[in-house]
Amino acid sequence: MAIIYDSTHRTFKLDTKNSSYIIKIYDENYILNLYYGAPIPDTYLAKREKRYPNASFSLANPVIGEHGFTPDTAPIEYGCNGAADFRISALAIRNASGDSVTDIRYTGHKIYTGKEEIPNQPSSYAVDGDAETLELYAIDAVTGAKVTLYYTVFADAGVMTRRVRVENASDKTFDIERVFSMCVDLPTMDYELVSLYGRHAKERHIERRPLAHGVQGVESKRGVSSHAQNPFIALAECGSTEEHGSVYGFNLVYSGNFSALVECDFNGTSRVLLGINPTDFGWKLAPGEAFDTPEAVMVYTDGGMGEMSRVFHRFYNTHLIRGKWQYAKRPLLINSWEAAYFDFDTDKLVAFAKAAKEMGIEMLVMDDGWFGKRNDDTNSLGDWFVNTDKLPGGLAPLIEQVNAEGLKFGIWYEPEMISPDSELFRAHPDWCVHVAGREPMIGRHQYVLDVSRKDVRENIWQQMYDVLSKHKIDYVKWDFNRNISDAGSAILPPERQKEFFHRFILGTYDLMNRLVTTFPDILFENCSGGGGRFDPAMLCYSPQIWTSDNTDPIDRLYIQFGTSLAYPASCMSAHVSACRRTGFETRGSVAMWGTFGYELDPRKLTAEEVAIVKEQIKEYHDTYDLVRRGDLYRLVSPFENKHRAIWEIVSPEKDRAMVTMVTFHCEVCGIVIAKLRGLDPQRYYKNEMTGEILSGAALMNAGLVLSGLSADDGESLTVYFTAVE
Ligand code: DGJ
């Protein structure tokens, strides 16, 4: 049983293989958190309810009396606004009287095997009943808000998920002002906050800082999860490392504005919140209506950041990514963008396909520029019909010729956008996101389409359906190239404008869901100016995401190391491009860590480069399974080492491994010794490069000697190991 209810102590214990989580129902039905950390057998831990009584004019509940318990310092399971818990609150409801005091108390619970879907939102799923769910029911007696706290325990995966539903059980409409997916009160602040910041072409760089008293955190107000911050944070125990120490990882299954906050109070405790950003959010709930938050994924491990990542990776591969392409072998693609940008026609694309086929590439993706009158980025978004000047006769002749070369065919869309210079905009100027009296901001010559509207979605759906249903299209790249400002919808009444951002994301999910369910054989790849929407929600629709527009392999080391904190290699799109900073081999070595592909003009490759590409493609097939199913070990991080990065991938059966080193600021040094991880110490492994056979114990303790690289920057070396029986 992963979830136990101890009725004597009125406690719940939720266990995964890595963690225990204990909730207590206290006097007056306050819901408290007694523990979250390494597994323990106990269902009750005494004296934790009244942490630090009366610390700073702390206030008491008059029914309980002033004998020690105060909401000010108690480990409140889901902190609410204005009822003597002064820390950042997870829930605030403004009631019909106009105040926003909110105070929820336990009323009951239900425990069951499995996990329900969140209505109209993406979330993780159980496989063959391998999850248990606790629904904790609570009510705010004054507003009549019925709150359900959902906890799903994936015991074998080492993961817990949480989410919240608020129902209006009163007879008056109220406003939800903030509703986080998750709240955790930890008893110390001896952690460092790890987050992933960035910008276009520099996504998900790792930042680590000690917690300080007060509120800190990361967020997005850009309408999407964003390049700037990812909806992921970790609290890493001070002194913990990649391999050792306590780490809590939190990731939000959401593609919109998010907030990940940590408040450290005067007693040195930490409250962690993760959910929809309350800024520019509000939701009116009429009697009988319900609001569901997105899901938060939580991982605790005492195995350091590395183990936290591996737990996320396995979980996302098996319990989040879905559909035909979750496990089916995905086609090796070449994308036209960096090869041609907008300058292509049928003949050029067919020539790409011919040259690509020679090297063993399996799919041609036609990127931006095939529709409307689009020859640059100034127009035509929203006009999803073929540009017959470029593609005479339409898509069919092109696809036939590409298929005749033996390649599959993929296409690019940016469905949530509209160019002012488009037929769609001329017909429906009010369909772009805007607010009354203000000229909307423009980015890359485009506005955002108001996909919170059903009629708008229907139009885009029809246009996409028309193309996708009539042609043999195997892949869709779904792009999104600006942030959302001037956020409002022409059809929402003034008192509901704050619902816009969330409604926009629900609209996106609706459109994506319709497409992936109508076209289950199409492989969808998400993209947002590179990796501006690289989040777990998008993984529910597209098993792979374009990691960054930056294809320079050295820059990519940082981006891929950062991305790998939460996201598996199976979803990290990585292409070899024409970028010249390193040789072809290193570009391949770095891209091999993700969903490998090419993004260059295959006709321009030298004979020597073609030979290397053929070798890379052979290696790609050999390692396909290892990379996608294997466990990642970040042996040397570019964020910590000035000279090199080294990573290792070990098969789940521990019978294969690959170790890659890339040097980027070479120092004169003979050899590098890398202590491998994750092997079976008892087994022997053959180094496929040297033929040397060493025990797993030797490779992990004495280490692997990496040598033979020249003193140039940007060199790479990959060593394969196979277990010998
Ligand atoms: C941004 C994407 O990241 C690129 O890969 C490419 O698809 C362009 N958009 C096309 O406009």
Side-chain angles (χ1 to χ4, degrees):
M1 294 280 284
I3 303 179
I4 302 167
Y5 178 55
D6 168 354
S7 54
T8 311
H9 296 107
R10 299 182 85 202
T11 54
F12 299 88
K13 186 150 90 78
L14 293 75
D15 286 326
T16 77
K17 67 173 188 193
N18 309 327
S19 61
S20 292
Y21 189 99
I22 303 179
I23 300 165
K24 160 117 186 113
I25 309 304
Y26 187 63
D27 297 358
E28 287 303 298
N29 291 318
Y30 279 100
I31 309 172
L32 307 181
N33 183 290
L34 300 193
Y35 179 72
Y36 183 29
I40 55 173
D42 319 68
T43 52
Y44 177 62
L45 298 171
K47 295 191 179 146
R48 284 162 196 257
E49 303 90 336
K50 302 177 189 173
R51 249 164 27 190
Y52 312 109
N54 301 325
S56 168
F57 288 159
S58 296
L59 305 171
N61 180 313
V63 181
I64 299 178
E66 300 193 39
H67 61 72
F69 174 85
T70 167
D72 192 8
T73 59
I76 303 277
E77 180 60 15
Y78 192 66
C80 295
N81 183 61
D85 174 355
F86 298 99
R87 291 160 289 183
I88 40 172
S89 46
L91 181 67
I93 293 175
R94 185 170 297 280
N95 60 35
S97 314
D99 71 82
S100 58
V101 178
T102 311
D103 191 0
I104 61 165
R105 308 296 174 81
Y106 169 81
T107 56
H109 69 269
K110 184 166 105 181
I111 297 171
Y112 52 90
T113 301
K115 179 176 195 278
E116 287 173 11
E117 285 185 3
I118 311 176
N120 309 318
Q121 286 188 64
S123 60
S124 62
Y125 54 87
V127 180
D128 299 331
D130 68 347
E132 282 178 38
T133 298
L134 164 67
E135 292 184 11
L136 266 190
Y137 306 123
I139 191 135
D140 176 19
V142 174
T143 58
K146 253 177 73 182
V147 177
T148 307
L149 308 178
Y150 291 83
Y151 304 79
T152 297
V153 178
F154 295 85
D156 293 341
V159 169
M160 251 175 69
T161 62
R162 286 181 63 175
R163 69 181 179 97
V164 175
R165 169 176 293 173
V166 179
E167 288 168 77
N168 187 342
S170 78
D171 55 5
K172 294 193 184 77
T173 295
F174 60 63
D175 290 290
I176 303 174
E177 295 193 325
R178 53 200 287 136
V179 55
F180 278 80
S181 303
M182 180 210 94
C183 171
V184 182
D185 276 3
L186 298 170
T188 80
M189 55 181 281
D190 303 330
Y191 302 105
E192 289 169 327
L193 173 62
V194 182
S195 56
L196 298 171
Y197 79 98
R199 59 164 165 74
H200 177 245
K202 187 193 167 184
E203 292 88 340
R204 289 170 296 287
H205 275 225
I206 301 172
E207 188 154 70
R208 193 165 167 149
R209 54 189 136 145
L211 290 180
H213 289 94
V215 180
Q216 53 242 283
V218 297
E219 62 173 23
S220 168
K221 295 197 297 173
R222 293 166 184 270
V224 284
S225 41
S226 91
H227 298 95
Q229 292 289 350
N230 194 263
F232 162 86
I233 57 165
L235 291 191
E237 183 185 25
C238 296
S240 64
T241 63
E242 181 69 14
E243 296 298 329
H244 303 286
S246 293
V247 179
Y248 299 86
F250 306 102
N251 204 186
L252 191 65
V253 187
Y254 193 54
S255 301
N257 291 341
F258 73 90
S259 200
L261 301 174
V262 185
E263 178 167 3
C264 300
D265 71 1
F266 40 75
N267 291 315
T269 73
S270 310
R271 167 169 292 177
V272 187
L273 294 183
L274 181 62
I276 296 175
N277 193 334
T279 302
D280 289 332
F281 169 81
W283 202 270
K284 227 169 226 327
L285 214 58
E289 287 182 348
F291 180 88
D292 290 289
T293 70
E295 173 175 87
V297 181
M298 304 164 58
V299 172
Y300 169 82
T301 173
D302 55 15
M305 292 296 285
E307 184 56 17
M308 176 208 69
S309 297
R310 289 183 289 276
V311 172
F312 273 114
H313 296 173
R314 292 182 207 122
F315 185 67
Y316 287 170
N317 277 333
T318 55
H319 292 79
L320 188 75
I321 294 171
R322 64 204 65 200
K324 171 174 170 177
W325 298 103
Q326 178 181 10
Y327 296 123
K329 192 165 180 191
R330 303 185 206 148
L332 169 60
L333 67 83
I334 185 162
N335 179 296
S336 69
W337 181 245
E338 288 190 32
Y341 297 102
F342 297 99
D343 179 21
F344 61 81
D345 58 16
T346 303
D347 291 346
K348 192 186 259 188
L349 293 176
V350 173
F352 282 0
K354 273 190 205 304
K357 176 210 173 174
E358 287 307 309
M359 297 181 290
I361 292 171
E362 298 161 336
M363 179 160 74
L364 175 77
V365 174
M366 175 178 64
D367 209 279
D368 194 354
W370 60 269
F371 51 91
K373 54 168 186 163
R374 191 150 163 109
N375 291 313
D376 54 35
D377 62 11
T378 60
N379 60 74
S380 299
L381 295 170
D383 295 347
W384 300 110
F385 47 83
V386 179
N387 177 340
T388 45
D389 290 342
K390 276 184 177 171
L391 309 177
L395 286 175
L398 167 64
I399 297 175
E400 275 160 26
Q401 291 179 77
V402 170
N403 289 168
E405 295 300 333
L407 269 71
K408 295 179 185 299
F409 181 79
I411 197 168
W412 179 96
Y413 275 100
E414 195 174 359
E416 299 137 291
M417 293 292 161
I418 182 165
S419 306
D421 180 4
S422 65
E423 291 185 18
L424 190 69
F425 188 78
R426 282 184 281 277
H428 301 283
D430 62 322
W431 279 12
C432 81
V433 173
H434 67 285
V435 292
R438 290 182 200 278
E439 181 73 10
M441 296 288 162
I442 192 123
R444 209 191 187 209
H445 313 280
Q446 63 199 56
Y447 296 143
V448 183
L449 257 183
D450 182 1
V451 297
S452 73
R453 293 173 60 155
K454 206 159 185 265
D455 53 349
V456 173
R457 292 202 298 278
E458 190 56 31
N459 178 294
I460 298 301
W461 158 255
Q462 282 303 338
Q463 292 198 60
M464 292 181 81
Y465 181 80
D466 201 44
V467 172
L468 298 177
S469 62
K470 290 187 184 139
H471 298 94
K472 204 172 160 313
I473 290 173
D474 301 294
Y475 161 108
V476 167
K477 179 173 172 187
W478 183 305
D479 209 341
F480 187 98
N481 283 298
R482 58 160 285 178
N483 293 315
I484 306 179
S485 64
D486 310 283
S489 175
I491 59 164
L492 283 177
E495 66 278 11
R496 284 193 180 272
Q497 289 291 338
K498 280 198 149 199
E499 297 177 12
F500 168 75
F501 271 121
H502 185 60
R503 286 184 182 276
F504 178 90
I505 291 300
L506 295 180
T508 293
Y509 293 157
D510 181 55
L511 192 54
M512 286 185 173
N513 188 49
R514 203 165 169 191
L515 277 148
V516 299
T517 49
T518 308
F519 301 103
D521 291 334
I522 293 182
L523 169 61
F524 283 83
E525 172 157 342
N526 194 261
C527 173
S528 172
R533 201 154 62 170
F534 207 119
D535 60 60
M538 286 297 122
L539 289 179
C540 297
Y541 306 105
S542 52
Q544 57 194 53
I545 303 179
W546 182 226
T547 312
S548 178
D549 274 348
N550 189 337
T551 49
D552 175 282
I554 305 303
D555 290 346
R556 269 287 181 132
L557 290 174
Y558 297 87
I559 295 167
Q560 293 182 187
F561 265 77
T563 303
S564 79
L565 283 201
Y567 306 101
S570 73
C571 73
M572 230 167 39
S573 236
H575 296 169
V576 175
S577 77
C579 136
R580 292 276 162 220
R581 179 140 66 126
T582 73
F584 226 91
E585 291 89 345
T586 300
R587 287 178 248 163
S589 304
V590 175
M592 205 68 72
W593 175 1
T595 67
F596 189 73
Y598 290 87
E599 186 139 347
L600 41 70
D601 186 338
R603 302 167 309 172
K604 293 189 179 153
L605 297 178
T606 63
E608 192 194 342
E609 286 171 335
V610 168
I612 299 172
V613 170
K614 286 183 177 166
E615 272 305 303
Q616 286 173 341
I617 292 179
K618 193 172 158 300
E619 193 178 333
Y620 155 83
H621 288 297
D622 286 350
T623 58
Y624 186 90
D625 221 40
L626 175 60
V627 171
R628 274 141 203 86
R629 291 197 313 124
D631 285 328
L632 172 73
Y633 293 85
R634 292 175 293 250
L635 302 185
V636 176
S637 165
F639 291 100
E640 285 157 20
N641 190 297
K642 283 197 306 243
H643 305 288
R644 68 190 72 89
I646 308 178
W647 65 97
E648 177 193 6
I649 302 177
V650 182
S651 67
E653 299 76 21
K654 297 186 185 294
D655 58 353
R656 290 187 73 194
M658 65 189 277
V659 180
T660 304
M661 171 167 80
V662 175
T663 58
F664 45 84
H665 184 174
C666 212
E667 55 181 347
V668 180
C669 109
I671 58 170
V672 171
I673 296 181
K675 289 189 177 182
L676 304 194
R677 300 274 176 239
L679 301 175
D680 181 342
Q682 312 290 339
R683 288 171 94 171
Y684 280 78
Y685 294 87
K686 182 174 172 195
N687 178 330
E688 299 292 349
M689 196 161 82
T690 62
E692 188 182 33
I693 294 177
L694 283 175
S695 66
L699 288 164
M700 292 193 289
N701 295 310
L704 165 70
V705 175
L706 293 160
S707 61
L709 291 186
S710 77
D712 294 338
D713 291 352
E715 293 276 284
S716 70
L717 180 68
T718 298
V719 183
Y720 295 96
F721 291 92
T722 313
V724 289
E725 300 310 330

